[in-house]
Short mmCIF file of all heavy atoms in Angstrom, two decimals:
data_model
loop_
_atom_site.label_atom_id
_atom_site.label_comp_id
_atom_site.label_asym_id
_atom_site.label_seq_id
_atom_site.Cartn_x
_atom_site.Cartn_y
_atom_site.Cartn_z
N ASP A 11 0.81 -1.22 0.01
CA ASP A 11 0.01 0.00 0.01
C ASP A 11 0.85 1.27 0.02
O ASP A 11 0.49 2.29 -0.62
CB ASP A 11 -0.92 0.03 1.25
CG ASP A 11 -2.04 -0.98 1.16
OD1 ASP A 11 -2.27 -1.52 0.06
OD2 ASP A 11 -2.72 -1.20 2.17
N LYS A 12 1.99 1.25 0.73
CA LYS A 12 2.82 2.42 0.86
C LYS A 12 4.28 2.00 0.91
O LYS A 12 4.60 0.86 1.17
CB LYS A 12 2.51 3.13 2.20
CG LYS A 12 1.11 3.73 2.30
CD LYS A 12 0.90 4.44 3.62
CE LYS A 12 -0.44 5.12 3.72
NZ LYS A 12 -0.63 5.82 5.01
N GLY A 13 5.15 2.99 0.61
CA GLY A 13 6.57 2.72 0.75
C GLY A 13 7.39 3.30 -0.35
O GLY A 13 6.90 4.03 -1.22
N ALA A 14 8.67 2.98 -0.34
CA ALA A 14 9.62 3.54 -1.30
C ALA A 14 9.65 2.68 -2.55
O ALA A 14 10.61 1.93 -2.82
CB ALA A 14 11.01 3.56 -0.67
N TYR A 15 8.56 2.77 -3.30
CA TYR A 15 8.40 1.95 -4.51
C TYR A 15 8.09 2.86 -5.71
O TYR A 15 6.99 2.85 -6.26
CB TYR A 15 7.26 0.94 -4.34
CG TYR A 15 7.44 0.08 -3.10
CD1 TYR A 15 6.62 0.29 -2.00
CD2 TYR A 15 8.46 -0.89 -3.03
CE1 TYR A 15 6.79 -0.50 -0.83
CE2 TYR A 15 8.62 -1.64 -1.88
CZ TYR A 15 7.78 -1.45 -0.79
OH TYR A 15 7.95 -2.20 0.35
N THR A 16 9.06 3.72 -6.03
CA THR A 16 8.86 4.76 -7.03
C THR A 16 8.38 4.14 -8.35
O THR A 16 8.90 3.19 -8.85
CB THR A 16 10.17 5.49 -7.27
OG1 THR A 16 10.61 6.09 -6.05
CG2 THR A 16 9.99 6.59 -8.33
N GLY A 17 7.30 4.75 -8.87
CA GLY A 17 6.74 4.31 -10.16
C GLY A 17 5.67 3.28 -10.03
O GLY A 17 4.98 3.00 -11.06
N GLU A 18 5.50 2.65 -8.86
CA GLU A 18 4.42 1.69 -8.67
C GLU A 18 3.12 2.38 -8.27
O GLU A 18 3.10 3.55 -7.93
CB GLU A 18 4.85 0.66 -7.65
CG GLU A 18 6.02 -0.19 -8.04
CD GLU A 18 5.70 -1.14 -9.20
OE1 GLU A 18 4.54 -1.41 -9.46
OE2 GLU A 18 6.68 -1.53 -9.90
N VAL A 19 2.03 1.61 -8.32
CA VAL A 19 0.73 2.16 -8.02
C VAL A 19 0.14 1.40 -6.82
O VAL A 19 0.06 0.19 -6.85
CB VAL A 19 -0.23 2.10 -9.23
CG1 VAL A 19 -1.61 2.57 -8.84
CG2 VAL A 19 0.32 2.93 -10.38
N SER A 20 -0.24 2.11 -5.80
CA SER A 20 -0.75 1.54 -4.59
C SER A 20 -2.17 1.02 -4.71
O SER A 20 -3.04 1.74 -5.21
CB SER A 20 -0.74 2.60 -3.45
OG SER A 20 -1.59 2.30 -2.41
N PRO A 21 -2.43 -0.21 -4.29
CA PRO A 21 -3.82 -0.70 -4.32
C PRO A 21 -4.73 0.09 -3.38
O PRO A 21 -5.93 0.24 -3.68
CB PRO A 21 -3.70 -2.17 -3.83
CG PRO A 21 -2.39 -2.24 -3.12
CD PRO A 21 -1.52 -1.25 -3.79
N MET A 22 -4.18 0.62 -2.32
CA MET A 22 -5.00 1.45 -1.41
C MET A 22 -5.45 2.71 -2.13
O MET A 22 -6.64 3.12 -2.05
CB MET A 22 -4.19 1.82 -0.18
CG MET A 22 -4.95 2.68 0.83
SD MET A 22 -3.96 3.09 2.29
CE MET A 22 -2.70 4.12 1.57
N THR A 23 -4.56 3.31 -2.92
CA THR A 23 -4.91 4.51 -3.65
C THR A 23 -5.94 4.19 -4.76
O THR A 23 -6.87 4.99 -4.98
CB THR A 23 -3.65 5.15 -4.31
OG1 THR A 23 -2.70 5.41 -3.28
CG2 THR A 23 -3.99 6.41 -5.06
N LEU A 24 -5.84 3.04 -5.37
CA LEU A 24 -6.80 2.64 -6.37
C LEU A 24 -8.19 2.53 -5.76
O LEU A 24 -9.19 2.96 -6.33
CB LEU A 24 -6.40 1.34 -7.02
CG LEU A 24 -5.15 1.39 -7.92
CD1 LEU A 24 -4.81 -0.02 -8.41
CD2 LEU A 24 -5.33 2.33 -9.09
N LYS A 25 -8.27 1.90 -4.59
CA LYS A 25 -9.53 1.77 -3.87
C LYS A 25 -10.13 3.14 -3.58
O LYS A 25 -11.32 3.42 -3.81
CB LYS A 25 -9.33 0.98 -2.59
CG LYS A 25 -10.58 0.91 -1.69
CD LYS A 25 -11.67 0.12 -2.35
CE LYS A 25 -12.86 -0.07 -1.41
NZ LYS A 25 -13.94 -0.85 -2.02
N GLN A 26 -9.28 4.11 -3.14
CA GLN A 26 -9.71 5.42 -2.85
C GLN A 26 -10.21 6.16 -4.12
O GLN A 26 -11.04 7.06 -4.03
CB GLN A 26 -8.62 6.20 -2.19
CG GLN A 26 -8.24 5.68 -0.78
CD GLN A 26 -6.92 6.29 -0.27
OE1 GLN A 26 -6.13 6.85 -1.02
NE2 GLN A 26 -6.72 6.15 1.05
N ALA A 27 -9.66 5.76 -5.24
CA ALA A 27 -10.03 6.41 -6.53
C ALA A 27 -11.30 5.81 -7.10
O ALA A 27 -11.75 6.25 -8.16
CB ALA A 27 -8.91 6.26 -7.52
N GLY A 28 -11.92 4.81 -6.43
CA GLY A 28 -13.15 4.27 -6.90
C GLY A 28 -13.01 2.96 -7.70
O GLY A 28 -14.01 2.49 -8.29
N VAL A 29 -11.84 2.40 -7.71
CA VAL A 29 -11.63 1.13 -8.45
C VAL A 29 -12.25 -0.04 -7.71
O VAL A 29 -12.14 -0.14 -6.48
CB VAL A 29 -10.10 0.92 -8.67
CG1 VAL A 29 -9.84 -0.52 -9.18
CG2 VAL A 29 -9.57 1.93 -9.64
N LYS A 30 -12.90 -0.94 -8.47
CA LYS A 30 -13.50 -2.13 -7.88
C LYS A 30 -12.84 -3.42 -8.28
O LYS A 30 -12.87 -4.42 -7.53
CB LYS A 30 -14.98 -2.18 -8.29
CG LYS A 30 -15.74 -3.32 -7.63
CD LYS A 30 -17.25 -3.24 -7.85
CE LYS A 30 -17.98 -4.38 -7.14
NZ LYS A 30 -19.44 -4.30 -7.29
N ILE A 31 -12.17 -3.43 -9.43
CA ILE A 31 -11.56 -4.64 -9.95
C ILE A 31 -10.19 -4.32 -10.51
O ILE A 31 -9.98 -3.29 -11.16
CB ILE A 31 -12.51 -5.28 -11.03
CG1 ILE A 31 -11.89 -6.62 -11.52
CG2 ILE A 31 -12.75 -4.32 -12.16
CD1 ILE A 31 -12.85 -7.36 -12.43
N VAL A 32 -9.20 -5.16 -10.19
CA VAL A 32 -7.83 -4.92 -10.65
C VAL A 32 -7.33 -6.13 -11.41
O VAL A 32 -7.29 -7.25 -10.90
CB VAL A 32 -6.90 -4.60 -9.46
CG1 VAL A 32 -5.48 -4.28 -9.97
CG2 VAL A 32 -7.44 -3.50 -8.57
N GLU A 33 -6.93 -5.90 -12.62
CA GLU A 33 -6.34 -6.94 -13.51
C GLU A 33 -4.87 -7.12 -13.14
O GLU A 33 -4.12 -6.16 -13.04
CB GLU A 33 -6.48 -6.49 -14.95
CG GLU A 33 -5.73 -7.37 -15.95
CD GLU A 33 -5.73 -6.77 -17.34
OE1 GLU A 33 -6.26 -5.67 -17.57
OE2 GLU A 33 -5.12 -7.42 -18.23
N ILE A 34 -4.48 -8.35 -12.95
CA ILE A 34 -3.07 -8.65 -12.64
C ILE A 34 -2.64 -9.89 -13.39
O ILE A 34 -3.45 -10.73 -13.78
CB ILE A 34 -2.82 -8.83 -11.12
CG1 ILE A 34 -3.85 -9.85 -10.53
CG2 ILE A 34 -2.88 -7.50 -10.38
CD1 ILE A 34 -3.57 -10.17 -9.07
N GLY A 35 -1.33 -9.98 -13.63
CA GLY A 35 -0.75 -11.19 -14.21
C GLY A 35 -1.01 -11.37 -15.69
O GLY A 35 -0.89 -12.49 -16.21
N HIS A 36 -1.28 -10.29 -16.41
CA HIS A 36 -1.51 -10.45 -17.85
C HIS A 36 -0.25 -11.02 -18.51
O HIS A 36 0.87 -10.79 -18.05
CB HIS A 36 -1.86 -9.09 -18.47
CG HIS A 36 -2.33 -9.20 -19.90
ND1 HIS A 36 -1.46 -9.28 -20.96
CD2 HIS A 36 -3.58 -9.27 -20.40
CE1 HIS A 36 -2.19 -9.38 -22.08
NE2 HIS A 36 -3.45 -9.42 -21.77
N ALA A 37 -0.48 -11.77 -19.59
CA ALA A 37 0.65 -12.42 -20.26
C ALA A 37 1.71 -11.41 -20.67
O ALA A 37 2.93 -11.75 -20.64
CB ALA A 37 0.12 -13.17 -21.47
N GLU A 38 1.32 -10.22 -21.01
CA GLU A 38 2.31 -9.22 -21.43
C GLU A 38 3.18 -8.78 -20.23
O GLU A 38 4.40 -8.56 -20.38
CB GLU A 38 1.62 -8.01 -22.05
CG GLU A 38 0.99 -8.33 -23.42
CD GLU A 38 -0.07 -7.34 -23.81
OE1 GLU A 38 -0.33 -6.41 -23.06
OE2 GLU A 38 -0.65 -7.58 -24.91
#
């Protein structure tokens, strides 16, 4: 959710932004 991970996107922030579903592990 938080930390020194420059360039990454926090799942906590996505939740706060109104996101309900997160795609992960795509073949690309």
Side-chain angles (χ1 to χ4, degrees):
D11 288 348
K12 294 181 178 180
Y15 307 108
T16 301
E18 294 294 338
V19 176
S20 160
M22 180 179 67
T23 303
L24 292 177
K25 175 65 174 180
Q26 293 168 344
V29 169
K30 185 170 182 177
I31 183 171
V32 184
E33 172 189 359
I34 51 175
H36 190 276
E38 290 160 1

